[in-house]
Amino acid sequence: MLKRVLITIVAYVVIVVVLKTLLDDVNNSIYWILGGLLAIGIANSLDHKHIQELQIHEDTKTLSYQYRSPLNGEGEKVHILSQVQLYTQTKDHAGKGSEITSLTLYKNRRRVLKLQASADGFTPETLNAIRDQLLRLGVTE
């Protein structure tokens, strides 16, 4: 989480420095706009829900997960699998084929869960196993 906040801050500082060096007459309002965007970026980073535990219940056909968020604290969500759709994102590797980079669950066209290899620490193999189990339980892709 700290890494995401630092990357956001560094990105905005680079933008300000580039604008300042390329444009001699930078309007002061650009700093207010960039400051607002920086605040939004930091708030989004702090609101990220880190998945601590994920369980797929075959008997009740539900998916539950416990999460921790710096702004919201700890919590738990449960989703009925017959009400969600799955979207799989993959990345192609030359010579190796493709691997799953993220799984996203939608309910009524609204994203309810996104599992990412990069942000949440899931390996592509784990994401593939989760995908296979969800498809076996009738989740549409």
Side-chain angles (χ1 to χ4, degrees):
M1 189 252 337
L2 181 60
K3 180 179 170 183
R4 292 176 70 162
V5 171
L6 290 176
I7 289 171
T8 303
I9 291 171
V10 168
Y12 285 107
V13 168
V14 168
I15 290 171
V16 169
V17 169
V18 167
L19 284 175
K20 194 71 170 163
T21 57
L22 293 179
L23 303 172
D24 293 333
D25 187 26
V26 175
N27 191 344
N28 283 339
S29 63
I30 193 76
Y31 296 114
W32 286 103
I33 293 169
L34 288 174
L37 292 174
L38 177 63
I40 290 169
I42 291 172
N44 284 338
S45 295
L46 291 175
D47 192 39
H48 177 75
K49 293 178 178 157
H50 178 72
I51 306 296
Q52 293 181 305
E53 183 179 343
L54 180 100
Q55 296 179 346
I56 299 172
H57 308 280
E58 292 189 17
D59 53 343
T60 58
K61 295 198 182 206
T62 58
L63 177 136
S64 65
Y65 59 95
Q66 290 77 34
Y67 64 88
R68 171 178 237 139
S69 168
L71 291 181
N72 299 321
E74 294 182 0
E76 180 179 12
K77 296 273 185 178
V78 177
H79 298 290
I80 299 169
L81 294 178
S82 62
Q83 297 176 349
V84 297
Q85 292 81 38
L86 177 66
Y87 175 73
T88 304
Q89 224 173 0
T90 60
K91 181 177 182 180
D92 291 330
H93 293 289
K96 289 178 151 180
S98 64
E99 67 179 24
I100 295 176
T101 57
S102 72
L103 296 175
T104 308
L105 289 176
Y106 290 94
K107 182 177 179 182
N108 298 327
R109 287 186 247 146
R110 185 175 152 256
R111 186 177 77 185
V112 293
L113 176 64
K114 185 168 187 174
L115 303 173
Q116 295 178 298
S118 59
D120 298 315
F122 289 100
T123 65
E125 293 79 19
T126 302
L127 291 176
N128 195 36
I130 292 169
R131 177 184 172 267
D132 289 345
Q133 190 171 9
L134 290 174
L135 292 175
R136 223 179 21 254
L137 292 173
V139 174
T140 57
E141 190 170 32

